[in-house]
Amino acid sequence: MSATPSGGARRRTRAVDIGQVGIGGESPVRIQSMTNTDTADVLRTAMQCAELARAGSELVRITVNTPEAAAAVVAVREQLERMGVDVPLIGDFHYNGHRLLAEYPDCAQALAKYRINPGNVGHGRKRDGQFAQMVEIACKYEKPVRIGVNWGSLDQDLLARIMDENGARAEPWDTVRVMREAMVASAIESAARAEEIGLPGERIVLSCKVSGVQDLIAIYRDLSQRCDYPLHLGLTEAGMGSKGIVASTAAMAVLLQEGIGDTIRVSLTPEPGGPRTQEVIVAQEMLQTMGLRAFTPMVVACPGCGRTTSTFFQELARSIQDHVRRRMPQWRGDYDGVENMTLAVMGCVVNGPGESKHANIGISLPGTGEAPAAPVFIDGAKTVTLRGEHIAEEFTTLVDAYVARTYQRKMAGR
């Protein structure tokens, strides 16, 4: 079992294989993302899938909502293969998934997993048959399925049933608790129905997405106690910018700390023209700062104060962070363990030397009124003092040399 930061164990779940990526079981917490292109636009969709995968998304979900989108899936997969990208593609289906999967068998085969929303597969008599049709196709092609409940499209018949049951209680629950129970019940009952149809439990992942932090925590705590399927975490609409980042982290960090959650998505609304990859970076940083996984060297930098009236340390911190992310694709291929490296860029003598000593490599820049010298610490020892106008370039060179010297010997085992 993988350790949690608190020293406990992750919730034990079934292991689900999605292409070459494992979810649940002994696998680490996986990062997912989703494109926002028109899937029928093959080149744009493939390019965004590749961009997300190269940023670190281990699974990428694409919208399959029209015949044109379904017909394009194979071409997207082929384009990704030509680009050397083998990230598993997940098909996101609502309303007409049963028809699209049946009418486009090549699409059904090319996808690595299907996402089914039990609230959007149909109503009344049609619901059960259309849900069964999608599950049967998943069985035919041996594909895993995420049964993804969303509070914005909750099965109204099921909600009405839960409300009736609640009305018969001696002490009825409040509206919030009824909604939470309806979501959990929808996920578990749909999974049970999928197994009755023939889908093995080892091919089922569950999610119950809401937009409220406390609702998400309460629902997943309940869900984790009532099943052993792997769970996909994420606020359904986290929002933009710092609000989306804070809300997602506040909700998921609590659950991950308790060992709940096997795969995550940070559903950020991008800034106009902003990169889609931001949600992947936020997910990586969440897992890495919690000590659950390591993806890229982490840069520690002070926030600045009256002792650091110069902006140089801020500029150097950003420069080093950008340099590390730019070099990481090559470093990851050449060096084992480099993702665990820590760097420090500090702005004055108060905490600068101490923080730099704790990092693998760190620099303590001169603050306001301090001597114009920047000592560099490598693995806790002061090694050199930089001065002059080329401190940034010289420190970057020292970082590159440290990586080559420290991690190169691990290449022999590849």
Side-chain angles (χ1 to χ4, degrees):
M1 297 286 288
S2 301
T4 62
S6 59
R10 275 178 56 195
R11 164 181 170 267
R12 186 177 296 277
T13 66
R14 309 184 194 202
V16 176
D17 290 327
I18 302 172
Q20 302 299 315
V21 178
I23 290 180
E26 299 295 327
S27 297
V29 179
R30 300 295 189 180
I31 293 175
Q32 300 193 32
S33 57
M34 185 175 183
T35 59
N36 61 357
T37 59
D38 179 355
T39 304
D41 187 334
V42 172
L43 186 57
R44 285 187 63 229
T45 300
M47 289 178 65
Q48 191 172 85
C49 288
E51 183 182 24
L52 291 166
R54 288 167 178 158
S57 184
E58 294 161 295
L59 302 104
V60 175
R61 184 157 42 112
I62 61 177
T63 298
V64 186
N65 60 333
T66 64
E68 293 78 12
V73 169
V74 172
V76 171
R77 178 75 273 166
E78 291 173 346
Q79 179 64 37
L80 285 170
E81 290 170 359
R82 287 192 290 270
M83 299 166 72
V85 177
D86 61 357
V87 65
L89 295 181
I90 302 166
D92 193 61
F93 294 98
H94 297 275
Y95 309 111
N96 59 354
H98 59 291
R99 288 202 310 271
L100 296 176
L101 285 170
E103 294 171 6
Y104 295 87
D106 289 346
C107 165
Q109 180 64 50
L111 292 168
K113 185 176 76 165
Y114 311 152
R115 185 278 176 108
I116 303 175
N117 181 342
N120 282 343
V121 295
H123 301 285
R125 296 178 181 177
K126 291 183 177 180
R127 179 185 61 244
D128 293 342
Q130 290 171 182
F131 178 81
Q133 187 175 353
M134 296 183 74
V135 172
E136 287 165 357
I137 292 171
C139 294
K140 177 180 178 180
Y141 294 108
E142 298 183 343
K143 303 294 182 179
V145 167
R146 171 161 70 96
I147 295 173
V149 181
N150 191 303
W151 75 338
S153 51
L154 192 57
D155 182 337
Q156 294 302 300
D157 291 339
L158 181 143
L159 179 59
R161 191 197 82 201
I162 298 295
M163 292 175 66
D164 288 343
E165 292 172 357
N166 184 57
R169 288 189 173 91
E171 297 183 8
W173 296 340
D174 61 25
T175 302
V176 172
R177 188 173 178 184
V178 170
M179 182 275 294
R180 292 172 178 172
E181 171 60 24
M183 293 195 66
V184 173
S186 178
I188 291 176
E189 291 176 15
S190 296
R193 177 59 182 148
E195 288 203 58
E196 290 174 2
I197 294 167
L199 187 66
E202 290 71 25
R203 292 193 198 136
I204 297 175
V205 179
L206 298 186
S207 68
C208 287
K209 289 195 172 185
V210 295
S211 296
V213 170
Q214 295 298 340
D215 289 323
L216 193 83
I217 293 170
I219 286 169
Y220 274 90
R221 281 175 173 164
D222 189 10
L223 186 61
S224 70
Q225 293 175 359
R226 292 164 62 174
C227 72
D228 63 354
Y229 301 110
L231 301 181
H232 171 107
L233 302 186
L235 294 176
T236 184
E237 285 97 16
M240 296 183 70
S242 60
K243 184 271 177 185
I245 293 170
V246 170
S248 293
T249 304
M252 287 190 273
V254 170
L255 294 166
L256 292 167
Q257 186 75 13
E258 296 176 2
I260 300 169
D262 303 280
T263 177
I264 66 173
R265 183 193 174 200
V266 179
S267 299
L268 295 181
T269 303
E271 298 290 342
R276 190 69 168 175
T277 53
Q278 185 189 17
E279 67 177 52
V280 179
I281 293 171
V282 171
Q284 288 181 330
E285 291 177 345
M286 183 193 310
L287 294 178
Q288 186 153 351
T289 54
M290 291 185 69
L292 292 170
R293 294 187 67 181
F295 300 94
T296 190
M298 298 291 284
V299 178
V300 175
C302 69
C305 66
R307 293 175 177 269
T308 56
T309 53
S310 168
T311 61
F312 182 67
F313 82 96
Q314 299 164 324
E315 294 161 3
L316 180 57
R318 171 56 64 94
S319 173
I320 290 298
Q321 182 71 74
D322 291 346
H323 178 74
V324 165
R325 287 201 173 276
R326 195 164 51 246
R327 293 298 306 275
M328 195 57 198
Q330 180 183 345
W331 285 350
R332 186 181 292 112
D334 292 344
Y335 305 113
D336 286 329
V338 68
E339 66 274 8
N340 296 301
M341 181 173 67
T342 57
L343 304 96
V345 178
M346 304 301 294
C348 78
V349 74
V350 173
N351 292 317
E355 286 284 0
S356 297
K357 289 177 182 178
H358 289 309
N360 294 116
I361 178 169
I363 186 169
S364 180
L365 295 166
T368 304
E370 295 177 11
V376 174
F377 297 82
I378 296 179
D379 291 330
K382 180 180 174 181
T383 59
V384 66
T385 299
L386 304 181
R387 295 181 173 84
E389 299 178 356
H390 303 290
I391 289 176
E393 295 88 342
E394 292 172 5
F395 184 65
T396 300
T397 299
L398 290 172
V399 170
D400 288 343
Y402 179 84
V403 171
R405 181 176 65 254
T406 304
Y407 301 101
Q408 190 172 21
R409 61 186 177 83
K410 298 180 180 181
M411 294 172 60
R414 287 188 176 276

